[in-house]
Amino acid sequence: MKIEKFEDLMIWQESRELCKKVFEITSVVPFQSDFKLRDQIRASSGSVMDNIAEGFERNGNKEFIQFLSVAKGSCGETRSQSYRSFDFHYINQDILDELIFRTTKLSKKISSLIAYLKKSEFKGSKFHTS
């Protein structure tokens, strides 16, 4: 399958699902009342998908790698905030396990794409000469 837009990327699709799950989890009591943590975990999970999209749209591998690195960092931030949410009794063990599974899997996939792009001789579509 040819990747023509960021929506075609499996990592973007999975990060979108993570973001929706985080929004769902943070929309219930008592989580919704902790505005700071709620907003932080929503922002970090959204940052994963947004940085994948922005990096892809830059049309250059070096920039894409840079934004994927930021996305991976945001994924780790979401994982850390998940532990905090559990420690504060906002989520139960099953939800924590799901968030840890999703963020760990996604982080590994982002790392794999970064490694692939670093080895690739393709520099990006903005470097194509017509």
Side-chain angles (χ1 to χ4, degrees):
M1 176 179 151
K2 185 175 179 183
I3 305 295
E4 296 180 1
K5 55 191 190 299
F6 68 80
E7 293 94 339
D8 295 334
L9 293 166
M10 186 64 69
I11 58 170
W12 183 84
Q13 294 168 16
E14 289 182 22
S15 63
R16 181 181 180 200
E17 290 303 315
L18 172 65
C19 188
K20 289 191 311 189
K21 184 68 177 177
V22 165
F23 186 85
E24 173 189 309
I25 291 166
T26 59
S27 294
V28 297
V29 173
F31 212 136
Q32 69 182 10
S33 300
D34 187 335
F35 303 116
K36 186 169 183 171
L37 181 56
R38 182 199 66 194
D39 292 347
Q40 283 181 319
I41 196 169
R42 284 180 177 180
S44 65
S45 65
S47 179
V48 180
M49 63 186 286
D50 294 344
N51 278 290
I52 292 168
E54 185 173 355
F56 184 88
E57 291 294 322
R58 298 282 180 136
N59 295 323
N61 273 10
K62 283 187 178 184
E63 287 173 296
F64 193 19
I65 290 167
Q66 178 183 351
F67 279 89
L68 287 172
S69 179
V70 173
K72 187 176 183 306
S74 294
C75 195
E77 185 179 352
T78 302
R79 186 164 60 251
S80 179
Q81 291 160 348
S82 299
Y83 283 109
R84 196 158 26 124
S85 302
F86 176 76
D87 292 344
F88 294 174
H89 306 286
Y90 295 157
I91 60 174
N92 63 30
Q93 186 69 52
D94 290 338
I95 294 172
L96 174 65
D97 291 345
E98 179 182 356
L99 292 173
I100 299 308
F101 174 77
R102 285 179 186 240
T103 54
T104 301
K105 183 174 82 166
L106 184 54
S107 184
K108 288 177 183 177
K109 288 182 178 184
I110 293 170
S111 290
S112 293
L113 181 54
I114 290 170
Y116 170 79
L117 291 172
K118 284 183 176 180
K119 292 178 184 175
S120 174
E121 294 191 22
F122 180 69
K123 293 181 180 180
S125 61
K126 74 178 181 181
F127 295 100
H128 266 78
T129 55
S130 299

